Amino acid sequence: MGQGTQLPVVNHYTAYKAKPFTRAQRKDVTILYGGLTWKHERLIQGALRNLKYNAEPLPNIQREDLDAGKEMIDVGACSPTIFTTGNLVNFLKKEAAKHGKEEVNRKYVYVTAGACGPCRFGQYHESYSMALDGLGLRDFRMLLMAQDELDQGENGGSGLEVNMSLMLGLVWAALCADLLGDLEYLIRPYEVTPGQTEKVLKQSVEYLYELFLNRPSRGEKYGALAWHLTTNYFTKALREVRKMWDTIEVDRLRVKPKVKITGEFWLQTHEGDGNYNIKRWLEQENSEVIPPAVAVWFDYLMHPLIHRMEHRHAYARHPKAMQFTLKLAERLYAATYNRLRRALASLPNELPDQAELARLAEPFFHFELRGGEGHMLIGKALYVYHHKKAHMVCELSPYSCMPNTMSIGAMANVLGKYPDLLYAPIEVKGDSDVHALSRCQMILTEAKRRAQTEFDDALRSTGLTIDKIRQYEVEHPELRKATYRVPHQGRAGSAANYVLHLASARGLGK
Ligand code: SF4
């Protein structure tokens, strides 16, 4: 190269690096977050405000968020990435139009879960940063919280401290919201007065919001953990919540197919346009929905390490001690969830055994294939099938999602072995609801037929009639309370289980 030749200026790619969010800024900055249901987000808000953070969930996902996301990030992204990016973009755009970009950079930080991984989840923040660039908000602060560590110290400055107290607040808030969600979906299809479940649900969420807002401080380390595991602070409150649900009258003789929702984490958890509001749609189609619990995901995060230790696929200096500790943690987690469930009369669903999910899925999907929900999609479908917990499985698969594509492929093999498993894989692009819902409807028709047959068989085998049951209910009004627990009798449908329960526990029938 001759003397005086100018080298071209190269602008190397630099990854997004958040500007610090300092402790001194805490009182003037609002933490934005999202991605769960409104129930989870409200309780999480209580937990964050309890630790003196200003916190606001992003508005619930709308159809316009898909368009905004498509404009801003690469078109091959999976639909949850597009929706969530668009959701943040639309919020920031509105705020910037009202208050200016400088004010948006100063006033907000966005906190999102982070992870490395084989799928888009490991790159969500890259999509967000691409969108922030496009909006001219390169200085906007976005913080990542690793989803599998309870204590991560200061995150991007000392404004947000990801310590034990914060993480326990978030986890307990998510567990309580899951339990309320289970009650909601279990009871609403059978409520006698339309809208009553919704009303009680809102009251319960606000009651628990106050509970998290006033959560006593027990330090930032293991003292906080010990307190959360042993206190009756949460169970006492949940017993009060149960009294609120006592007031709802239900008609358990409505025959409805039960639909288990599975799929990609965000898509299955979400309630809104991001998944065509499919849970509400299924209820309108006269079904009962089993919603996915975030609690199952937490359990799943813990389990791979246990499995790898058992199969000697992971290194630890003291493998036996490590294995013991992990198993103890898993047991304590399940015991905590069950304690909370019991405070709600054990009405919410129990956590499935992770070892069983892995064992059921094993012939079809290798346990160590990570990404998305991994083997759990197949494990859950077979779990509800074998335990007769649902008539059909509706798997929500995001458009352009690699892990879900693998799971749907493997399900073809599962269906070859279990041809009577009713399975509806719904690909969600966000803008083709008629196609997706009509596909679901086809399988639902058969599920309805099975629910009716199961109910008729239950009546026949017990010799009961609807009139006789109605008459008995008049004499025993507790049966029509939403919180009366009908134990599982080996049938998928709630109405069939109810009939069999009346025959076995109440001596009705032949
Ligand atoms: S699991 Fe699928 S939808 Fe979810 S982040 Fe990964 S690629 Fe996207």
Side-chain angles (χ1 to χ4, degrees), residues 140-170:
F140 179 80
R141 289 162 295 181
M142 179 174 62
L143 305 177
L144 293 183
M145 271 167 56
Q147 55 173 354
D148 50 358
E149 279 177 54
L150 268 187
D151 200 332
Q152 299 161 45
E154 295 170 1
N155 195 332
S158 50
L160 178 68
E161 283 174 67
V162 188
N163 54 31
M164 194 76 92
S165 177
L166 171 70
M167 291 306 270
L168 290 170
L170 300 184

Side-chain angles (χ1 to χ4, degrees), residues 70-301:
K70 275 185 187 164
E71 271 177 36
M72 290 290 186
I73 62 171
D74 59 288
V75 284
C78 56
S79 63
T81 313
I82 300 178
F83 264 116
T84 51
T85 308
N87 186 231
L88 179 66
V89 162
N90 277 338
F91 177 81
L92 295 180
K93 256 189 190 169
K94 276 185 202 140
E95 289 298 299
K98 268 195 256 163
H99 310 293
K101 289 181 183 174
E102 275 310 304
E103 181 62 5
V104 167
N105 287 336
R106 192 194 64 77
K107 191 174 167 199
Y108 296 111
V109 299
Y110 178 58
V111 175
T112 182
C116 62
C119 74
R120 289 270 172 184
F121 188 57
Q123 301 161 12
Y124 265 35
H125 60 289
E126 293 293 345
S127 299
Y128 294 139
S129 78
M130 195 189 280
L132 293 174
D133 261 349
L135 288 176
L137 289 170
R138 183 79 179 166
D139 287 338
F140 179 80
R141 289 162 295 181
M142 179 174 62
L143 305 177
L144 293 183
M145 271 167 56
Q147 55 173 354
D148 50 358
E149 279 177 54
L150 268 187
D151 200 332
Q152 299 161 45
E154 295 170 1
N155 195 332
S158 50
L160 178 68
E161 283 174 67
V162 188
N163 54 31
M164 194 76 92
S165 177
L166 171 70
M167 291 306 270
L168 290 170
L170 300 184
V171 171
W172 258 247
L175 301 187
C176 288
D178 276 346
L179 295 166
L180 289 185
D182 268 9
L183 283 186
E184 172 195 0
Y185 284 96
L186 183 76
I187 291 168
R188 187 169 46 218
Y190 303 96
E191 67 186 4
V192 170
T193 309
Q196 204 184 353
T197 305
E198 206 65 25
K199 205 168 124 209
V200 172
L201 176 66
K202 283 187 183 141
Q203 277 169 5
S204 313
V205 170
E206 285 315 303
Y207 183 80
L208 292 182
Y209 165 79
E210 292 293 328
L211 182 85
F212 280 95
L213 186 66
N214 298 311
R215 182 176 58 127
S217 165
R218 290 291 185 273
E220 293 171 358
K221 290 282 178 190
Y222 292 99
L225 178 62
W227 182 77
H228 279 79
L229 291 174
T230 53
T231 181
N232 64 359
Y233 182 72
F234 299 101
T235 44
K236 232 169 100 187
L238 288 173
R239 278 194 285 274
E240 289 305 310
V241 166
R242 188 177 81 188
K243 287 183 198 154
M244 298 177 192
W245 291 77
D246 267 346
T247 56
I248 303 177
E249 186 189 358
V250 291
D251 176 4
R252 298 176 198 276
L253 290 173
R254 293 177 188 165
V255 181
K256 292 171 187 278
K258 224 184 243 185
V259 183
K260 168 75 186 155
I261 301 286
T262 66
E264 189 270 344
F265 176 80
W266 180 83
L267 204 60
Q268 60 169 355
T269 309
H270 172 68
E271 293 173 340
D273 290 354
N275 59 15
Y276 309 131
N277 230 326
I278 196 159
K279 294 174 209 164
R280 281 305 186 105
W281 177 83
L282 280 162
E283 284 190 359
Q284 282 155 18
E285 290 292 311
N286 207 19
S287 318
E288 179 186 335
V289 169
I290 307 179
V294 177
V296 179
W297 175 255
F298 292 151
D299 206 5
Y300 169 68
L301 290 180

Side-chain angles (χ1 to χ4, degrees), residues 332-350:
L332 283 175
Y333 177 72
T336 301
Y337 196 71
N338 281 332
R339 260 185 93 203
L340 300 175
R341 270 183 73 225
R342 275 199 300 277
L344 292 171
S346 295
L347 290 167
N349 299 304
E350 68 268 28

Side-chain angles (χ1 to χ4, degrees), residues 239-478:
R239 278 194 285 274
E240 289 305 310
V241 166
R242 188 177 81 188
K243 287 183 198 154
M244 298 177 192
W245 291 77
D246 267 346
T247 56
I248 303 177
E249 186 189 358
V250 291
D251 176 4
R252 298 176 198 276
L253 290 173
R254 293 177 188 165
V255 181
K256 292 171 187 278
K258 224 184 243 185
V259 183
K260 168 75 186 155
I261 301 286
T262 66
E264 189 270 344
F265 176 80
W266 180 83
L267 204 60
Q268 60 169 355
T269 309
H270 172 68
E271 293 173 340
D273 290 354
N275 59 15
Y276 309 131
N277 230 326
I278 196 159
K279 294 174 209 164
R280 281 305 186 105
W281 177 83
L282 280 162
E283 284 190 359
Q284 282 155 18
E285 290 292 311
N286 207 19
S287 318
E288 179 186 335
V289 169
I290 307 179
V294 177
V296 179
W297 175 255
F298 292 151
D299 206 5
Y300 169 68
L301 290 180
M302 230 183 300
H303 201 70
L305 196 51
I306 298 177
H307 192 273
R308 286 209 299 276
M309 294 298 299
E310 279 171 357
H311 290 72
R312 304 282 183 269
H313 292 175
Y315 171 77
R317 189 178 287 180
H318 303 291
K320 287 260 181 283
M322 179 73 163
Q323 218 169 308
F324 175 79
T325 312
L326 286 169
K327 284 206 163 166
L328 180 67
E330 197 183 37
R331 288 224 176 109
L332 283 175
Y333 177 72
T336 301
Y337 196 71
N338 281 332
R339 260 185 93 203
L340 300 175
R341 270 183 73 225
R342 275 199 300 277
L344 292 171
S346 295
L347 290 167
N349 299 304
E350 68 268 28
L351 291 176
D353 177 1
Q354 285 290 330
E356 185 180 359
L357 294 184
R359 188 174 46 72
L360 290 171
E362 197 146 15
F364 309 97
F365 201 98
H366 197 279
F367 180 82
E368 289 189 22
L369 276 175
R370 301 302 305 277
E373 293 234 326
H375 67 276
M376 269 214 298
L377 297 176
I378 292 175
K380 282 180 186 173
L382 287 173
Y383 181 88
V384 295
Y385 171 80
H386 286 303
H387 291 280
K388 294 206 168 23
K389 297 275 186 178
H391 295 100
M392 76 175 256
V393 174
C394 176
E395 180 175 334
L396 302 175
S397 296
Y399 167 73
S400 184
C401 167
M402 178 271 286
N404 255 84
T405 309
M406 283 160 54
S407 142
I408 289 172
M411 271 308 283
N413 198 3
V414 175
L415 295 177
K417 191 149 182 227
Y418 302 99
D420 57 334
L421 193 163
L422 288 183
Y423 168 68
I426 308 298
E427 190 190 51
V428 180
K429 278 178 82 178
D431 55 3
S432 51
D433 50 339
V434 175
H435 173 75
L437 298 179
S438 122
R439 189 178 173 142
C440 191
Q441 210 160 30
M442 288 191 290
I443 311 285
L444 194 59
T445 307
E446 172 59 14
K448 283 181 181 170
R449 194 193 59 74
R450 287 190 191 180
Q452 189 62 52
T453 307
E454 192 185 59
F455 179 70
D456 294 342
D457 286 350
L459 287 179
R460 200 172 310 115
S461 67
T462 55
L464 282 170
T465 61
I466 291 181
D467 285 346
K468 193 166 175 189
I469 295 172
R470 292 263 185 245
Q471 201 182 331
Y472 187 76
E473 283 179 339
V474 173
E475 291 150 23
H476 299 86
E478 75 278 5

